[in-house]
Amino acid sequence: MSPEETLIHDFPNRLSENGHTQVNAYNRWYYDAGKKVVGRKRHIAVDTDGRLLMINLTSADISDSAGAQMSLDAIRKRWPWVKHLFADGAYDRLKLMDKAAYLDFVLEIIRRREGARGFEVLPRRWVVERTFGWMTRWRRLVRDYERRIDVSKAMILVAMGANLMRRNAYP
């Protein structure tokens, strides 16, 4: 089964508290001011069943739409038949919309209802949130213990590969 629709989203990952710190070229922390998190962001693309298609790790100070722009080229190269992308309101930026249109994607922004209070299940978005939940079931992925980004990405791929095998073995 090949995906024709893809969901994109990001999730900040806190650094571990074992003294592991990351400093960028400007000698400052990787800090996501919106969620008040020091660490990295995981930008993922999943199919409509929640299977991981692509992951892109960035520092936490990269915006959601900038991380998605980095991911769009890789999605188009690996899955040329994907046409429809779903994202939340943080991805509603002109630069991202222009790049999506250039790469022949239809980017649909899923928004909350006007006047909604508290938690609300949004259509399609719960699939991505469930995938992040599957990731954090692996103890090593709850915090960012890795110093290198490639090792962190490999741990996520191992966890999601094991999850896929478990889901196929016990439907």
Side-chain angles (χ1 to χ4, degrees):
M1 180 177 170
S2 61
E4 292 183 9
E5 297 179 337
T6 302
L7 297 95
I8 56 176
H9 196 49
D10 78 315
F11 186 76
N13 193 21
R14 297 177 194 276
L15 288 176
S16 66
E17 297 177 11
N18 64 357
H20 161 97
T21 59
Q22 284 187 311
V23 179
N24 63 12
Y26 302 107
N27 202 18
R28 63 186 170 111
W29 296 90
Y30 290 144
Y31 182 69
D32 180 6
K35 297 200 172 113
K36 297 178 178 53
V37 173
V38 175
R40 295 185 182 123
K41 275 189 185 175
R42 299 170 177 165
H43 302 272
I44 67 170
V46 299
D47 66 0
T48 53
D49 289 334
R51 292 184 291 260
L52 184 69
L53 299 177
M54 198 215 69
I55 184 157
N56 185 18
L57 298 175
T58 63
S59 62
D61 59 351
I62 300 293
S63 70
D64 298 350
S65 62
Q69 286 180 41
M70 291 184 253
S71 303
L72 288 181
D73 288 324
I75 294 170
R76 176 54 69 213
K77 188 177 188 180
R78 177 67 177 93
W79 294 280
W81 53 84
V82 171
K83 300 287 184 211
H84 206 128
L85 298 174
F86 296 97
D88 65 0
Y91 295 92
D92 190 12
R93 303 290 180 266
L94 185 60
K95 223 174 175 183
L96 178 62
M97 295 291 200
D98 288 344
K99 184 162 187 176
Y102 176 74
L103 293 173
D104 198 29
F105 286 120
V106 174
L107 183 60
E108 184 177 336
I109 304 298
I110 301 170
R111 299 190 185 282
R112 291 177 52 144
R113 287 182 302 116
E114 282 295 320
R117 300 183 67 175
F119 177 75
E120 178 181 344
V121 176
L122 299 175
R124 302 281 187 177
R125 184 168 164 196
W126 66 269
V127 175
V128 181
E129 300 296 342
R130 180 183 63 185
T131 303
F132 280 121
W134 288 337
M135 270 193 229
T136 57
R137 287 182 65 184
W138 281 67
R139 182 175 177 214
R140 190 154 177 180
L141 299 180
V142 173
R143 296 263 185 264
D144 193 5
Y145 295 104
E146 315 304 333
R147 291 185 184 270
R148 294 178 22 200
I149 287 182
D150 59 336
V151 175
S152 184
K153 184 176 180 178
M155 291 307 302
I156 292 168
L157 293 175
V158 166
M160 294 309 292
N163 180 32
L164 184 61
M165 288 191 319
R166 186 182 68 243
R167 286 178 56 206
N168 285 338
Y170 305 105

